[in-house]
Amino acid sequence: MAKSSLDKLPVPLIRNYDDVLSLAGEGKVFHVNNPTIGTGVTGQTSYAATLSTLTFRNTSNNKIMVPLYAKLYQTGTVGGGRITIHVSTLEVGQFTSGTALTVYNANQQVTNSPSVLAYHTATLPTFTTGNQRLVHTEDVFQTVTAANGLPVVFPSPGFVQVRPGGQLDIYTLAATTGPTWMFNIGWAELEV
């Protein structure tokens, strides 16, 4: 029996990303939350490519990072009329420093170690020209005293795939004071 041309497609291209429960059951879904319950992580007052609110580095040689969900809840008050979220990827990860986040496997019975390292309040070097790609932008318009809605950080599961050795950065900014976030961010790590 001849092989189908579909046999040549890598697994991530034919998997149903909406089936997060199956991926979690296989031990392929990882997530991060605030390092201290009740304490937020603060973003910036303006965009600077070298300062990201959250950074995810794919250190694997043979797995891609597939962002699944990102829930950010703004705490406190932020002036300036809106909060802006930028999500970008790097073909080749670049990282100087940041506060490490503990990465958890969504299946607590599985001991698979994550290939993606997560940080908040990261410092990045000046990127090599052409290395950074903007993959999503969202504005949350708000009153001065409270945020009115949740930002769309990942528009859909698998909207982008971070290659082995690559990086995903989330920038959050508001004109007057940097927004402070409670968050839950999850991704799948799939072999290529």
Side-chain angles (χ1 to χ4, degrees), residues 77-171:
T77 59
V78 175
R82 69 179 182 185
I83 295 174
T84 300
I85 310 281
H86 298 302
V87 181
S88 68
T89 59
L90 298 177
E91 294 287 318
V92 178
Q94 295 178 273
F95 178 78
T96 303
S97 65
T99 302
L101 293 165
T102 302
V103 177
Y104 298 97
N105 194 310
N107 184 341
Q108 295 182 0
Q109 297 184 41
V110 175
T111 59
N112 295 350
S113 297
S115 296
V116 174
L117 303 178
Y119 303 88
H120 74 82
T121 320
T123 302
L124 311 172
T126 302
F127 299 141
T128 306
T129 301
N131 191 26
Q132 185 184 38
R133 290 187 173 89
L134 180 66
V135 293
H136 183 70
T137 296
E138 173 78 11
D139 278 337
V140 178
F141 291 91
Q142 61 178 25
T143 66
V144 174
T145 56
N148 289 332
L150 294 175
V152 176
V153 182
F154 298 162
S156 61
F159 79 105
V160 69
Q161 298 176 3
V162 181
R163 67 189 308 155
Q167 183 170 304
L168 183 134
D169 298 299
I170 299 172
Y171 299 87

Side-chain angles (χ1 to χ4, degrees), residues 18 106 146 169 190:
D18 293 326
D169 298 299
L190 305 177

Side-chain angles (χ1 to χ4, degrees), residues 7-8 13 18 23 34 37 46 54 62 75 84 112 124-126 143 160 178:
D7 293 337
K8 298 177 183 176
L13 294 179
D18 293 326
L23 289 172
N34 295 75
I37 294 175
S46 62
L54 297 157
N62 63 349
T75 65
T84 300
N112 295 350
L124 311 172
T126 302
T143 66
V160 69

Side-chain angles (χ1 to χ4, degrees), residues 40-46 53 72-79 82-85 142 147 171-182:
V41 168
T42 303
Q44 296 74 40
T45 55
S46 62
T53 306
L72 273 61
Y73 302 92
Q74 195 265 320
T75 65
T77 59
V78 175
R82 69 179 182 185
I83 295 174
T84 300
I85 310 281
Q142 61 178 25
Y171 299 87
T172 67
L173 48 132
T176 306
T177 55
T180 301
W181 303 104
M182 301 304 210

Side-chain angles (χ1 to χ4, degrees), residues 11-26:
V11 171
L13 294 179
I14 58 175
R15 180 178 287 277
N16 180 358
Y17 294 129
D18 293 326
D19 193 5
V20 176
L21 290 178
S22 292
L23 289 172
E26 296 170 18

